[in-house]
Amino acid sequence: MFKTRLRRLITLQSAQALDCVALMPGPNLRYLTGLAMHPSERPTLALFPLHGSPALILPLLEAQGLPENLPFEVRLFPYTDEEGPQGAFEAAAAALELAGKRIGVEFLQMRVLELRRLEQVAPGCHILAFEAFLHELRARKDDSELDQMRRAIRITEDALSATIAQVHPGQTEEEIATELRVTMLRAGAEEVAFIIAVAGPRTASPHVSPSSRPLEQGDVLIVDCGAVCGGYVADITRTFAVGEIPAKLERVYAVVRAANEAGRAAVRPGVAAQEVDRAARRVISEAGYGEYFIHRTGHGLGLEVHEPPYIVEGNDTILQPGMTFTVEPGIYVPGLGGVRIEDDVVVTATGAETLTTYSRELIHL
Ligand code: CO
Ligand code: CO
C-alpha cells in the first residue's frame, strides 16, 4: 500500500518538475509511509528525492524507535542532542545533492526552524508549495481508510450515547467533556481529537472551550467531538435539550435538521463542493436565519480534522467517490443560543453514504 502511495508521489513530483519533496512529521508523512511521528523542538525532516531512496533526518532517539521493517528503503541521518541537527542536515543535503534544486514543502506543516536550515544547507534551492498536490493524493479514501473512519465514528458515537445518558442539571461543561474523553479512550480511541461541550447562552458561539458553568433546565447543550483510530478522525455534533427549551429554539432545531438533510441529500459524484453548501444554506436562509449561519457547511475529514474539500461557496472542486467530509449547518442567535447538527459522509459511486448514525431527533435530557 505504501509502495503504491510513494509511486503516486513520484508521479506528482515529476509532473511538477520537483527534484525533492521535504515532509514534516504529520498527516502527509503518515499517509505515505505509515510513520506516525510528531514535530518537536528537535527537527525531523523526511526527504523524498525524485530518484533514489528517501532520507530521514531525525534525532537519534527517534531513529531507535523506527519500525523494524519499513515498507521501503530509507537512508537515515540521525543526530544526537550533543551534536545538534546541523551536521545531519548538511550530510543529507550533500547525499541528495539538494543545492540549487526545486524542493516541494508543506506550507502548513514546515516551520521557520526547518525552512531556514534547509535553505542554508541547500544553497540556491527553490522552495515550492506542494501541499495541494498531497491533499489531492489523500482526497479519495480507500477501504482501509474508511474502515478506520468507521471505527473512529463508532467509538465516538458510543461514547457520546453513554455520556449523554448520565448528563444532568448541575453538571458542568468541563465535567461532561472529561467524561466523554475518558469514555472514548476506554473504548479504544488512539486519542481524542477534540471535544466541545457548551450549553445555554454560550452555544451562540460555534467554537468555544468547555467552561465551569453548570447545566440548567431549559439549556441547549451542543457536543462536538471526535475520536481518532489509526490516525483517522471522526467529527460529530449533536444538540440536546435539557428539559424543555424555548419554542424559538425548537424551531431553530427543526430548521438546522432540515438543512443538514438537504446538505447530505445534495452529495453525489460530479457535483461541486459548493453545491452542498448552497443546498444546506438555502433551507436556513428561506427560514429567515441566513445571517445566523456564520460558517461554511463542512470540511474534508481524514487524517486531519479539517482538510480539503471544504464545503463552501466558491469551491468548485468536483466531488468524487471516496471523498469524505462533514455536513454541519448551524444557527447561532446571540442572546438566545445555537444549534448545530454535524454528520460525516462519504461520496459513493452513485450518491453518498452517511457514516454517522446518531439520532437527529431533538433529545430531551
Ligand atoms: Co465538529
Ligand atoms: Co467539523
Side-chain angles (χ1 to χ4, degrees):
M1 178 175 80
F2 295 118
K3 280 190 177 128
T4 311
R5 290 178 182 178
L6 281 171
R7 262 201 304 275
R8 290 176 64 208
L9 172 74
I10 295 291
T11 307
L12 271 179
Q13 211 173 322
S14 161
Q16 298 306 311
L18 291 174
D19 302 295
C20 182
V21 170
L23 300 184
M24 290 285 295
N28 292 316
L29 185 62
R30 186 164 184 175
Y31 179 80
L32 290 167
T33 65
L35 288 172
M37 306 170 92
H38 295 280
S40 80
E41 78 285 3
R42 301 174 172 113
T44 294
L45 199 60
L47 300 164
F48 297 86
L50 191 53
H51 306 289
S53 50
L56 201 49
I57 302 167
L58 79 177
L60 182 63
L61 77 170
E62 298 275 357
Q64 290 175 343
L66 284 180
E68 288 281 310
N69 35 8
L70 280 168
F72 51 91
E73 248 179 70
V74 63
R75 290 177 271 179
L76 292 185
F77 295 89
Y79 62 88
T80 64
D81 286 342
E82 288 74 19
E83 289 164 356
Q86 183 65 21
F89 269 79
E90 283 170 5
L96 273 66
E97 300 176 352
L98 292 182
K101 295 292 173 62
R102 289 166 57 86
I103 305 174
V105 306
E106 309 151 283
F107 279 29
L108 282 172
Q109 305 286 339
M110 187 172 276
R111 301 171 298 191
V112 179
L113 179 70
E114 289 84 12
L115 177 66
R116 287 275 158 82
R117 228 180 256 284
L118 188 58
E119 286 176 331
Q120 195 227 329
V121 297
C125 70
H126 303 274
I127 301 294
L128 299 142
F130 194 58
E131 207 131 31
F133 300 101
L134 291 163
H135 278 133
E136 218 173 88
L137 210 61
R138 283 168 39 201
R140 297 178 63 167
K141 274 67 181 175
D142 63 27
D143 287 345
S144 71
E145 296 180 279
L146 289 173
D147 283 349
Q148 298 289 6
M149 288 184 75
R150 284 180 212 276
R151 236 186 102 217
I153 288 167
R154 193 167 59 241
I155 287 175
T156 305
E157 291 190 326
D158 289 352
L160 183 58
S161 296
T163 303
I164 286 301
Q166 51 81 54
V167 162
H168 53 82
Q171 202 173 15
T172 68
E173 295 166 3
E174 284 163 349
E175 285 166 349
I176 295 168
T178 302
E179 186 59 38
L180 187 52
R181 179 179 304 277
V182 170
T183 311
M184 282 196 241
L185 291 172
R186 283 217 179 101
E190 173 182 307
E191 54 184 310
V192 175
F194 63 91
I195 295 178
I196 295 171
V198 59
R202 298 180 79 239
T203 54
S205 305
H207 269 182
V208 289
S209 300
S211 77
S212 58
R213 178 188 178 279
L215 280 192
E216 291 173 17
Q217 286 292 344
D219 278 352
V220 282
L221 165 66
I222 296 182
V223 182
D224 185 349
C225 55
V228 184
C229 285
Y232 289 82
V233 187
D235 186 4
I236 175 169
T237 307
R238 286 296 182 266
T239 302
F240 304 93
V242 184
E244 289 309 309
I245 58 169
K248 262 189 182 170
L249 278 172
E250 293 255 7
R251 159 100 181 114
V252 165
Y253 189 94
V255 173
V256 172
R257 186 177 167 188
N260 168 292
E261 270 154 26
R264 287 185 294 117
V267 180
R268 60 182 173 275
V271 157
Q274 64 185 354
E275 293 297 340
V276 178
D277 181 82
R278 286 176 188 165
R281 199 166 297 276
R282 192 175 305 126
V283 173
I284 290 178
S285 298
E286 282 174 1
Y289 291 100
E291 64 181 300
Y292 302 118
F293 181 12
I294 51 176
H295 53 72
R296 63 192 174 210
T297 291
H299 51 83
L301 191 66
L303 286 168
E304 290 173 281
V305 184
H306 291 173
E307 60 180 45
Y310 293 102
I311 309 303
V312 64
E313 181 64 40
N315 187 0
D316 54 12
T317 300
I318 299 298
L319 299 182
Q320 298 174 53
M323 284 183 171
T324 46
F325 51 86
T326 68
V327 175
E328 52 176 306
I331 295 177
Y332 311 92
V333 186
L336 180 66
V339 171
R340 180 167 66 257
I341 304 174
E342 174 177 33
D343 286 295
D344 304 339
V345 301
V346 55
V347 183
T348 62
T350 53
E353 181 192 344
T354 301
L355 300 171
T356 34
T357 61
Y358 205 98
S359 170
R360 290 168 206 98
E361 296 283 339
L362 179 57
I363 297 172
H364 294 266
L365 308 176

